[in-house]
Amino acid sequence: HPGWKITVVGAYKGGSPDFPASAKRVEGFAKTIHEEYGVELVDSVEALLAKVDVVLLESVDGRPHLAQATPALKAGKRMFIDKPLAASLEDARRIAQLARETGTPIFSTSSVRFHPDIPRVRNDKSIGDVTRVQANYTLNVVPFHPDLFYYGIHGVEALYAVMGKGCERLTRKVAPDSDVTTCVWKDGRVGVYNALLQKADAKQTVLVLTGSKGSTSTGTPSNYDGLIAEIAQFFHTGKPPVDLAETLEIIQFMTAAQISKEKGGAEVRLQDVR
């Protein structure tokens, strides 16, 4: 939509010195956006807020998200928070509470939710009533997030893009060559996040939907185009494309999966996760 143009005018270098994916790249990113795109670099979040209408919180590490989001929310700036919303369920809930208290629209999601094939498979009536959905996505873990928060969230977001919220309970079974989280929704549908552990597996289909009359699937992982369009629309309309309650359930889901793993694959009810 031509009216949804956004222009990036300022940036603050956040970053996490103990996280290589951040520490080794933030200077390069800053140099590129400043020298090639003319974006002004400022020395604090507060200085940034004085120059912008809306905020993209792109720290790849979820740990500082609460601290970085707080001044933006208090300033009433609409904000996209890159996945994960936070590094813990507690922080995620505090961000959501602050967004509600300040009346500031926010959303947080993975680019995979807007895979171009998802609308097609979600609306495919030929497979009958959907009974099972499996998401296949790479799992990379970091020591300071629960396992699924960092990269597994892409698969979990894809699952929720089709299933919607309402997961009741799950189990996560981990073996040397597999890592599978199986969840049951309140209406009986089954969801599976099949973590891809080998690089050779990374190009599997993202989603497979099984229904009473057949099955359908998406293609392999796509790009950021769909997400970027949604962000631009959100900044103009103030209407988040992903409900915050669903994002919080996803954080709860991934926390429950961590507990199940630590308990050797025991079943965990989402409502018991605090």
Side-chain angles (χ1 to χ4, degrees), residues 66-206:
L66 174 59
Q68 292 171 343
T70 296
L73 289 171
K74 287 183 175 178
K77 306 288 184 180
R78 291 175 188 170
M79 183 164 40
F80 169 72
I81 302 177
D82 196 16
K83 58 83 196 161
L85 175 60
S88 69
L89 181 56
E90 181 186 3
D91 275 10
R93 285 175 169 161
R94 288 171 71 189
I95 290 171
Q97 182 180 355
L98 193 55
R100 285 192 292 267
E101 287 173 355
T102 59
T104 309
I106 65 169
F107 86 100
S108 175
T109 192
S110 150
S111 59
V112 180
R113 179 181 284 270
F114 301 107
H115 188 292
D117 289 346
I118 286 179
R120 172 180 59 78
V121 299
R122 197 166 47 201
N123 298 316
D124 189 340
K125 307 300 183 194
S126 71
I127 64 170
D129 293 334
V130 173
T131 56
R132 184 182 190 276
V133 178
Q134 177 168 318
N136 305 299
Y137 216 89
T138 303
L139 177 67
N140 292 331
V141 299
V142 290
F144 36 75
H145 288 98
D147 289 351
L148 304 192
F149 277 48
Y150 177 50
Y151 231 77
I153 190 171
H154 290 305
V156 180
E157 286 269 3
L159 196 58
Y160 269 82
V162 172
M163 299 286 271
K165 66 180 193 291
C167 175
E168 192 170 58
R169 61 190 190 274
L170 60 76
T171 59
R172 182 177 173 202
K173 302 290 176 67
V174 180
D177 59 351
S178 66
D179 188 327
V180 179
T181 302
T182 305
C183 36
V184 180
W185 259 247
K186 289 172 183 172
D187 58 10
R189 291 174 300 156
V190 174
V192 177
Y193 166 50
N194 173 42
L196 304 179
L197 306 179
Q198 309 298 326
K199 282 190 175 179
D201 295 333
K203 289 296 183 184
Q204 281 196 36
T205 56
V206 173

Side-chain angles (χ1 to χ4, degrees), residues 58-72:
E58 293 294 333
S59 301
V60 70
D61 179 0
R63 290 174 299 173
H65 282 184
L66 174 59
Q68 292 171 343
T70 296

Side-chain angles (χ1 to χ4, degrees), residues 28-91:
F29 289 151
K31 188 171 188 288
T32 298
I33 65 170
H34 178 61
E35 294 183 1
E36 294 186 26
Y37 297 97
V39 174
E40 180 184 359
L41 298 176
V42 299
D43 59 6
S44 69
V45 172
E46 288 71 21
L48 181 69
L49 295 176
K51 296 176 178 292
V52 301
D53 301 307
V54 294
V55 174
L56 293 145
L57 203 173
E58 293 294 333
S59 301
V60 70
D61 179 0
R63 290 174 299 173
H65 282 184
L66 174 59
Q68 292 171 343
T70 296
L73 289 171
K74 287 183 175 178
K77 306 288 184 180
R78 291 175 188 170
M79 183 164 40
F80 169 72
I81 302 177
D82 196 16
K83 58 83 196 161
L85 175 60
S88 69
L89 181 56
E90 181 186 3
D91 275 10

